[in-house]
Amino acid sequence: MEKKTAVLFVCLGNICRSPVAEGVFSRLVSEKGLSHLFEIDSAATSANHIGESPDPRTLRNSTRNNLHLTHKARQLQVSDFHRFDYILAMDKNNLRDILKVAPPEYSAQVALFASFDPDPRFEEVPDPYFGSEPDFQRVYELCEQAANHFLQTIQNP
Ligand code: 4NP
């Protein structure tokens, strides 16, 4: 049996962006009949929302896009750096916070999610927490775009 590729999406709270990235990427690999080849999860750098469902605005916007999220927030752990092949940060602050808690040696590739997208204007998935409805839709669209490019990249390295 082929080894699964394990992918962890990470943001600050694990209630707005990374659950959407997880959901969009899971749906993408499912549509392509590749679910058996992936382990997909998401996590927070902070402990602020552990155990919570996604933000109501994230849930509302995801439902509008036919994406149904059941994730409960959890915090990034040291063991994730060994368990996951990819740890993908939504923004540069997340990336810095991830690297702060990384063990001295680990196997995961830690990167910005948007770094797999060739569009140089798209470097980060911006935090929508203090924003409004369009910011949540923007998160959804950026996650879809980055998920497609990420899958293409890892399928054709
Ligand atoms: P997320 O959004 O990192 O995309 O889940 C946020 C969630 C909570 C907070 C900030 C951003 N907060 O300040 O509690």
Side-chain angles (χ1 to χ4, degrees), residues 119-140:
D119 183 346
R121 292 167 306 174
F122 175 27
E123 289 190 289
E124 302 181 299
V125 180
D127 185 349
Y129 191 71
F130 296 104
S132 55
E133 299 282 325
D135 300 304
F136 285 81
Q137 179 60 18
R138 179 92 180 119
V139 165
Y140 175 82

Side-chain angles (χ1 to χ4, degrees), residues 11-19 46 48-49 55 90 94 126-130:
C11 60
L12 175 61
N14 195 206
I15 55 168
C16 294
R17 292 165 291 171
S18 56
S46 80
N48 296 345
H49 298 279
D55 185 282
M90 297 298 119
N94 304 148
D127 185 349
Y129 191 71
F130 296 104

Side-chain angles (χ1 to χ4, degrees), residues 78-152:
V78 167
S79 58
D80 291 326
F81 289 85
H82 306 289
R83 178 174 151 212
F84 288 89
D85 298 296
Y86 294 93
I87 298 180
L88 302 180
M90 297 298 119
D91 67 29
K92 291 175 190 171
N93 286 333
N94 304 148
L95 184 61
R96 207 171 308 127
D97 291 341
I98 292 167
L99 294 173
K100 269 188 214 157
V101 297
E105 288 184 21
Y106 56 91
S107 50
Q109 288 189 48
V110 181
L112 281 171
F113 187 28
S115 68
F116 292 91
D117 192 301
D119 183 346
R121 292 167 306 174
F122 175 27
E123 289 190 289
E124 302 181 299
V125 180
D127 185 349
Y129 191 71
F130 296 104
S132 55
E133 299 282 325
D135 300 304
F136 285 81
Q137 179 60 18
R138 179 92 180 119
V139 165
Y140 175 82
E141 289 170 8
L142 289 175
C143 285
E144 269 208 320
Q145 193 177 317
N148 274 296
H149 286 288
F150 174 60
L151 183 59
Q152 278 169 26

Side-chain angles (χ1 to χ4, degrees), residues 25-38 147-148 151-152 155:
F25 188 66
S26 298
R27 185 174 63 188
L28 178 65
V29 300
S30 167
E31 285 167 356
K32 293 190 180 292
L34 301 172
S35 296
H36 61 292
L37 296 177
F38 287 92
N148 274 296
L151 183 59
Q152 278 169 26
Q155 284 187 311

Side-chain angles (χ1 to χ4, degrees), residues 66-83:
N66 212 18
L67 186 69
H68 302 284
L69 304 178
T70 56
H71 183 77
K72 297 279 191 261
R74 74 166 180 92
Q75 193 172 22
L76 179 68
Q77 300 174 352
V78 167
S79 58
D80 291 326
F81 289 85
H82 306 289
R83 178 174 151 212

